[in-house]
């Protein structure tokens, strides 16, 4: 597990952690005497790290963060060293862009990174050679909240306004708008989460979830964008000063389950299989409150969950991190047995 910090002025850490033994076994175990992560190797970044992605099938990490949209490439050290070292940086076409870049990685053909801060500045760069592989056609200058590889040829871009754009990199001028979001206040901000299906499935068969800063959740089938598969309102508090930590993700091993965070010190898990398009309030099947009870963060404010992700093999296990520097691994028991 790789983690990084973003708030320190004297250098931000980037660490690779060894999970506790209970996470490394396929079978569910009882109480395990060793429950802590151990630092395997680490390094320091002069800039805050807002996004961190592992490059599949390599020993490389890619990070992004202020003050601009450039990327930093890191080498996770060999067995005889405990240092994560910076090996290169990837500049963008517009080096003066102030917004930090959203990133996604893939290694289907070669180690690639998809990155950009605005819709008209999306690029694919080969990580090791830093060669530009693709630049998206101009589709406006809207700020991006997320982007993803659906496969090695298909990209999905999400604007902060909730607008989705589907891109085929084999067609240089391809930029297809998909379904817009419901009518909401202009100040509403959105993020997205994609669910990667089994091998051989069409990219469009992967459902896309979008989450707004007001807690509105939509589920869209990219093959039929004329209607929502589901529309619901999450039971979350009103957003604070910003929506920079909004996160929605699909469970890889549970059909129809997703998790959301970024509103407070909790992570909510929902089962979307019973949702319709009415937009009514949805009942979470589980709420993780561990971070909320962990104490105040460095600013004295209650901890805010900054990101979460699902364990790839353990169906109900998630990892979450918060603004107080805490990293939790947790799961839940579903009495009804639906999930």
């Amino acid at each position: 597990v790789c983690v990084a910090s973003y708030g320190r002025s004297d250098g931000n850490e980037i660490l690779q952690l060894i999970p506790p033994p209970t996470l490394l076994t396929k079978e569910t175990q009882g109480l395990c005497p060793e429950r802590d992560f151990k630092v395997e190797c680490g390094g320091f970044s002069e800039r805050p790290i807002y996004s961190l992605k592992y490059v599949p099938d390599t020993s490389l990490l890619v990070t992004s963060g202020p003050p601009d949209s450039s990327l930093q490439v890191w080498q996770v050290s060999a067995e005889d060293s405990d240092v994560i070292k910076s090996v290169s940086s990837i500049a963008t076409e517009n080096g003066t862009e102030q917004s930090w870049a959203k990133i996604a990685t893939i290694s289907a053909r070669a180690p690639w990174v998809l990155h950009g801060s605005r819709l008209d500045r999306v690029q694919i760069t080969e990580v090791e050679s830093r060669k530009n592989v693709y630049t998206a056609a101009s589709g406006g200058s809207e700020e991006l909240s997320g982007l993803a590889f659906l496969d090695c040829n298909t990209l999905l871009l999400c604007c902060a306004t909730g607008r989705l754009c589907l891109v085929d990199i084999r067609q240089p001028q391809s930029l297809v708008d998909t379904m817009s979001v419901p009518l909401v206040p202009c100040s509403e901000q959105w993020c997205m989460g994609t669910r990667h299906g089994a091998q051989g499935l069409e990219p469009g068969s992967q459902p896309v979830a979008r989450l707004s800063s007001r807690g509105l959740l939509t589920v869209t089938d990219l093959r039929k964008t004329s209607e929502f598969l589901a529309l619901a309102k999450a039971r979350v508090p009103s957003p604070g000063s910003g929506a920079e930590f909004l996160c929605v993700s699909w469970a890889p091993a549970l059909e129809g389950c997703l998790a959301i965070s970024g509103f407070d010190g909790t992570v909510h898990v929902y089962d979307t299989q019973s949702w319709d398009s009415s937009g009514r309030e949805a009942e979470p099947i589980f709420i993780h409150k561990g971070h909320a009870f962990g104490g105040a963060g460095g600013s004295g404010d209650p901890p805010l969950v900054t990101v979460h992700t699902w364990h790839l093999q353990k169906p109900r296990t998630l990892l979450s991190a918060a603004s107080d520097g805490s990293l939790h691994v947790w799961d839940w028991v579903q009495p009804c047995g639906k999930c």
Side-chain angles (χ1 to χ4, degrees):
V1 178
C2 291
V3 296
S5 62
Y6 63 89
R8 299 181 181 178
S9 59
D10 57 346
N12 294 276
E13 291 180 290
I14 179 169
L15 304 173
Q16 179 169 283
L17 307 177
I18 302 175
T22 185
L23 272 188
L24 301 177
T25 60
K26 292 185 178 181
E27 297 80 15
T28 301
Q29 291 183 327
L31 289 177
C32 181
E34 184 61 60
R35 300 178 60 193
D36 294 330
F37 287 84
K38 293 182 178 179
V39 177
E40 185 171 31
C41 54
F44 288 93
S45 170
E46 294 181 356
R47 60 169 67 203
I49 296 174
Y50 278 30
S51 186
L52 165 66
K53 298 293 183 183
Y54 163 67
V55 183
D57 304 323
T58 73
S59 58
L60 300 175
L61 304 171
V62 179
T63 64
S64 66
D68 55 39
S69 58
S70 64
L71 311 181
Q72 288 66 52
V73 181
W74 303 80
Q75 174 77 53
V76 178
S77 301
E79 294 179 1
D80 58 347
S81 174
D82 60 358
V83 176
I84 297 178
K85 60 181 180 179
S86 176
V87 292
S88 65
S89 63
I90 297 173
T92 54
E93 287 190 353
N94 189 334
T96 61
E97 175 59 52
Q98 297 296 309
S99 301
W100 61 280
K102 286 34 173 209
I103 53 179
T105 56
I106 195 172
S107 286
R109 297 175 180 170
W112 284 356
V113 57
L114 169 65
H115 56 104
S117 59
R118 296 190 177 275
L119 192 58
D120 57 353
R121 292 169 190 160
V122 174
Q123 301 171 236
I124 297 176
T125 304
E126 193 171 285
V127 176
E128 293 169 317
S129 68
R130 288 177 284 174
K131 175 185 176 183
N132 178 265
V133 176
Y134 171 81
T135 300
S138 177
S141 59
E142 292 179 58
E143 181 183 354
L144 288 174
S145 64
L147 33 71
F149 284 102
L150 297 184
D151 61 20
C152 62
N153 295 314
T154 314
L155 317 176
L156 186 63
L157 315 176
C158 181
C159 299
T161 59
R163 175 187 176 193
L164 288 178
C165 293
L166 198 59
V167 180
D168 187 332
I169 67 173
R170 295 166 295 187
Q171 302 173 20
Q173 299 303 312
S174 164
L175 192 64
V176 181
D177 278 355
T178 63
M179 189 175 193
S180 61
V181 294
L183 291 176
V184 292
C186 296
S187 59
E188 197 107 357
Q189 296 196 36
W190 293 78
C191 68
M192 75 166 180
T194 59
R195 185 185 182 198
H196 298 290
Q199 294 268 344
L201 286 181
E202 290 294 323
S205 67
Q206 303 167 10
V208 178
R210 278 173 287 178
L211 169 67
S212 82
S213 54
R214 193 165 52 94
L216 196 62
L217 277 160
T218 71
V219 180
T220 305
D221 186 336
L222 297 178
R223 298 168 300 180
K224 188 177 181 181
T225 59
S226 59
E227 61 186 40
F228 293 114
L229 288 177
L231 180 63
K233 177 74 169 62
R235 185 179 297 176
V236 295
S238 299
S241 57
E244 59 185 327
F245 296 121
L246 284 182
C247 183
V248 56
S249 64
W250 289 99
L254 286 178
E255 187 65 33
C257 280
L258 56 77
I260 67 170
S261 63
F263 296 89
D264 54 16
T266 65
V267 182
H268 290 210
V269 180
Y270 291 90
D271 182 0
T272 67
Q273 294 182 91
S274 61
W275 290 3
D276 54 27
S277 57
S278 66
R280 66 173 181 265
E281 185 173 273
E283 183 76 24
I285 59 176
F286 185 78
I287 301 176
H288 176 65
K289 301 179 180 180
H291 295 285
F293 297 117
S299 63
D301 298 324
L304 174 67
V305 173
T306 54
V307 71
H308 72 265
T309 188
W310 293 79
H311 193 289
L312 294 178
Q313 286 84 35
K314 296 178 182 290
R316 299 184 190 89
T317 299
L318 293 92
L319 293 84
S320 55
S323 55
D324 61 353
S326 59
L327 173 64
H328 289 184
V329 184
W330 48 275
D331 57 17
W332 80 97
V333 176
Q334 181 68 18
C336 68
K338 285 181 66 179
C339 285

mmCIF file of all heavy atoms in Angstrom, residues 40 67 86 96 113 115 122 171 182 189 202-203 229 235 249 267 281 291 317:
data_model
loop_
_atom_site.group_PDB
_atom_site.id
_atom_site.type_symbol
_atom_site.label_atom_id
_atom_site.label_comp_id
_atom_site.label_asym_id
_atom_site.label_seq_id
_atom_site.Cartn_x
_atom_site.Cartn_y
_atom_site.Cartn_z
ATOM 1 N N GLU A 40 7.996 -0.073 4.513
ATOM 2 C CA GLU A 40 8.985 -0.838 3.757
ATOM 3 C C GLU A 40 10.024 0.079 3.126
ATOM 4 O O GLU A 40 11.215 -0.197 3.136
ATOM 5 C CB GLU A 40 8.292 -1.675 2.684
ATOM 6 C CG GLU A 40 9.235 -2.600 1.932
ATOM 7 C CD GLU A 40 8.491 -3.557 1.025
ATOM 8 O OE1 GLU A 40 7.409 -3.189 0.520
ATOM 9 O OE2 GLU A 40 8.985 -4.675 0.821
ATOM 10 N N PRO A 67 2.218 23.250 -7.269
ATOM 11 C CA PRO A 67 1.477 24.437 -7.740
ATOM 12 C C PRO A 67 1.093 24.420 -9.205
ATOM 13 O O PRO A 67 0.561 25.409 -9.707
ATOM 14 C CB PRO A 67 2.495 25.558 -7.476
ATOM 15 C CG PRO A 67 3.816 24.906 -7.736
ATOM 16 C CD PRO A 67 3.677 23.497 -7.242
ATOM 17 N N SER A 86 12.769 10.132 -6.590
ATOM 18 C CA SER A 86 12.201 10.815 -7.744
ATOM 19 C C SER A 86 13.123 10.589 -8.943
ATOM 20 O O SER A 86 14.329 10.807 -8.858
ATOM 21 C CB SER A 86 12.066 12.307 -7.454
ATOM 22 O OG SER A 86 11.606 12.997 -8.592
ATOM 23 N N THR A 96 1.988 26.753 -17.653
ATOM 24 C CA THR A 96 1.551 27.783 -16.719
ATOM 25 C C THR A 96 0.233 27.419 -16.036
ATOM 26 O O THR A 96 -0.251 28.167 -15.193
ATOM 27 C CB THR A 96 1.379 29.120 -17.441
ATOM 28 O OG1 THR A 96 0.375 28.978 -18.469
ATOM 29 C CG2 THR A 96 2.690 29.545 -18.091
ATOM 30 N N VAL A 113 0.381 7.066 -18.609
ATOM 31 C CA VAL A 113 -0.347 7.858 -17.635
ATOM 32 C C VAL A 113 -1.261 8.820 -18.385
ATOM 33 O O VAL A 113 -0.845 9.492 -19.333
ATOM 34 C CB VAL A 113 0.598 8.614 -16.672
ATOM 35 C CG1 VAL A 113 1.566 9.526 -17.413
ATOM 36 C CG2 VAL A 113 -0.206 9.417 -15.648
ATOM 37 N N HIS A 115 -3.473 12.140 -18.006
ATOM 38 C CA HIS A 115 -3.419 13.239 -17.059
ATOM 39 C C HIS A 115 -3.969 14.519 -17.671
ATOM 40 O O HIS A 115 -3.958 14.712 -18.887
ATOM 41 C CB HIS A 115 -1.981 13.469 -16.566
ATOM 42 C CG HIS A 115 -0.972 13.712 -17.649
ATOM 43 N ND1 HIS A 115 -0.464 14.965 -17.936
ATOM 44 C CD2 HIS A 115 -0.366 12.863 -18.533
ATOM 45 C CE1 HIS A 115 0.409 14.874 -18.924
ATOM 46 N NE2 HIS A 115 0.488 13.606 -19.314
ATOM 47 N N VAL A 122 -6.066 17.351 -21.870
ATOM 48 C CA VAL A 122 -5.897 15.949 -21.482
ATOM 49 C C VAL A 122 -4.865 15.291 -22.383
ATOM 50 O O VAL A 122 -4.922 15.425 -23.609
ATOM 51 C CB VAL A 122 -7.242 15.194 -21.562
ATOM 52 C CG1 VAL A 122 -7.049 13.708 -21.306
ATOM 53 C CG2 VAL A 122 -8.233 15.779 -20.565
ATOM 54 N N GLN A 171 -9.364 7.742 -32.672
ATOM 55 C CA GLN A 171 -9.965 8.782 -33.499
ATOM 56 C C GLN A 171 -9.597 10.135 -32.889
ATOM 57 O O GLN A 171 -10.192 10.547 -31.884
ATOM 58 C CB GLN A 171 -11.490 8.613 -33.542
ATOM 59 C CG GLN A 171 -11.913 7.253 -34.063
ATOM 60 C CD GLN A 171 -13.417 7.037 -33.950
ATOM 61 O OE1 GLN A 171 -14.177 7.997 -33.835
ATOM 62 N NE2 GLN A 171 -13.833 5.782 -33.979
ATOM 63 N N PRO A 182 -28.594 15.751 -13.427
ATOM 64 C CA PRO A 182 -29.871 16.429 -13.172
ATOM 65 C C PRO A 182 -29.646 17.920 -12.917
ATOM 66 O O PRO A 182 -28.551 18.338 -12.560
ATOM 67 C CB PRO A 182 -30.389 15.724 -11.912
ATOM 68 C CG PRO A 182 -29.664 14.422 -11.843
ATOM 69 C CD PRO A 182 -28.331 14.662 -12.478
ATOM 70 N N GLN A 189 -20.553 20.506 -7.322
ATOM 71 C CA GLN A 189 -19.396 19.875 -7.939
ATOM 72 C C GLN A 189 -19.570 18.362 -7.915
ATOM 73 O O GLN A 189 -20.203 17.826 -7.011
ATOM 74 C CB GLN A 189 -18.110 20.278 -7.214
ATOM 75 C CG GLN A 189 -17.816 21.764 -7.335
ATOM 76 C CD GLN A 189 -16.395 22.098 -6.960
ATOM 77 O OE1 GLN A 189 -15.466 21.337 -7.229
ATOM 78 N NE2 GLN A 189 -16.209 23.235 -6.321
ATOM 79 N N GLU A 202 -17.381 -5.060 -23.061
ATOM 80 C CA GLU A 202 -17.242 -3.783 -23.736
ATOM 81 C C GLU A 202 -17.067 -2.670 -22.702
ATOM 82 O O GLU A 202 -17.670 -2.724 -21.623
ATOM 83 C CB GLU A 202 -18.492 -3.503 -24.578
ATOM 84 C CG GLU A 202 -18.623 -4.397 -25.804
ATOM 85 C CD GLU A 202 -17.536 -4.133 -26.822
ATOM 86 O OE1 GLU A 202 -17.145 -2.969 -27.007
ATOM 87 O OE2 GLU A 202 -17.049 -5.108 -27.424
ATOM 88 N N PRO A 203 -16.266 -1.641 -23.033
ATOM 89 C CA PRO A 203 -16.076 -0.539 -22.089
ATOM 90 C C PRO A 203 -17.392 0.101 -21.659
ATOM 91 O O PRO A 203 -17.567 0.474 -20.508
ATOM 92 C CB PRO A 203 -15.200 0.446 -22.862
ATOM 93 C CG PRO A 203 -14.492 -0.379 -23.876
ATOM 94 C CD PRO A 203 -15.432 -1.477 -24.240
ATOM 95 N N LEU A 229 -29.755 4.802 -14.895
ATOM 96 C CA LEU A 229 -30.060 3.505 -14.308
ATOM 97 C C LEU A 229 -30.601 3.681 -12.897
ATOM 98 O O LEU A 229 -31.472 2.943 -12.453
ATOM 99 C CB LEU A 229 -28.793 2.634 -14.254
ATOM 100 C CG LEU A 229 -28.256 2.084 -15.569
ATOM 101 C CD1 LEU A 229 -26.969 1.306 -15.308
ATOM 102 C CD2 LEU A 229 -29.283 1.169 -16.224
ATOM 103 N N ARG A 235 -27.285 10.043 2.365
ATOM 104 C CA ARG A 235 -27.535 10.670 3.664
ATOM 105 C C ARG A 235 -26.212 11.229 4.192
ATOM 106 O O ARG A 235 -25.521 10.595 4.991
ATOM 107 C CB ARG A 235 -28.141 9.653 4.631
ATOM 108 C CG ARG A 235 -28.553 10.240 5.970
ATOM 109 C CD ARG A 235 -29.167 9.196 6.861
ATOM 110 N NE ARG A 235 -30.402 8.652 6.298
ATOM 111 C CZ ARG A 235 -31.089 7.659 6.873
ATOM 112 N NH1 ARG A 235 -30.652 7.098 7.981
ATOM 113 N NH2 ARG A 235 -32.208 7.221 6.319
ATOM 114 N N SER A 249 -16.648 5.047 -5.281
ATOM 115 C CA SER A 249 -15.970 3.893 -5.871
ATOM 116 C C SER A 249 -16.865 2.666 -5.813
ATOM 117 O O SER A 249 -17.609 2.461 -4.850
ATOM 118 C CB SER A 249 -14.647 3.611 -5.133
ATOM 119 O OG SER A 249 -14.903 3.251 -3.785
ATOM 120 N N VAL A 267 -17.195 6.966 6.015
ATOM 121 C CA VAL A 267 -17.322 6.359 4.693
ATOM 122 C C VAL A 267 -18.648 5.611 4.669
ATOM 123 O O VAL A 267 -18.913 4.789 5.565
ATOM 124 C CB VAL A 267 -16.163 5.382 4.383
ATOM 125 C CG1 VAL A 267 -16.312 4.816 2.969
ATOM 126 C CG2 VAL A 267 -14.808 6.068 4.543
ATOM 127 N N GLU A 281 -34.062 9.498 -0.909
ATOM 128 C CA GLU A 281 -32.911 9.273 -0.028
ATOM 129 C C GLU A 281 -32.649 7.783 0.118
ATOM 130 O O GLU A 281 -33.564 6.988 0.307
ATOM 131 C CB GLU A 281 -33.160 9.892 1.344
ATOM 132 C CG GLU A 281 -31.940 9.793 2.253
ATOM 133 C CD GLU A 281 -32.114 10.557 3.555
ATOM 134 O OE1 GLU A 281 -31.821 11.763 3.572
ATOM 135 O OE2 GLU A 281 -32.550 9.942 4.549
ATOM 136 N N HIS A 291 -12.662 7.135 11.655
ATOM 137 C CA HIS A 291 -11.871 8.358 11.555
ATOM 138 C C HIS A 291 -12.494 9.499 12.366
ATOM 139 O O HIS A 291 -11.784 10.332 12.933
ATOM 140 C CB HIS A 291 -11.738 8.792 10.093
ATOM 141 C CG HIS A 291 -10.966 7.838 9.243
ATOM 142 N ND1 HIS A 291 -9.595 7.715 9.302
ATOM 143 C CD2 HIS A 291 -11.388 6.943 8.303
ATOM 144 C CE1 HIS A 291 -9.201 6.795 8.428
ATOM 145 N NE2 HIS A 291 -10.261 6.317 7.813
ATOM 146 N N THR A 317 -13.923 -5.502 2.389
ATOM 147 C CA THR A 317 -12.805 -4.815 3.032
ATOM 148 C C THR A 317 -12.439 -3.545 2.260
ATOM 149 O O THR A 317 -12.284 -3.577 1.052
ATOM 150 C CB THR A 317 -11.583 -5.743 3.120
ATOM 151 O OG1 THR A 317 -11.924 -6.892 3.910
ATOM 152 C CG2 THR A 317 -10.406 -5.039 3.782
#
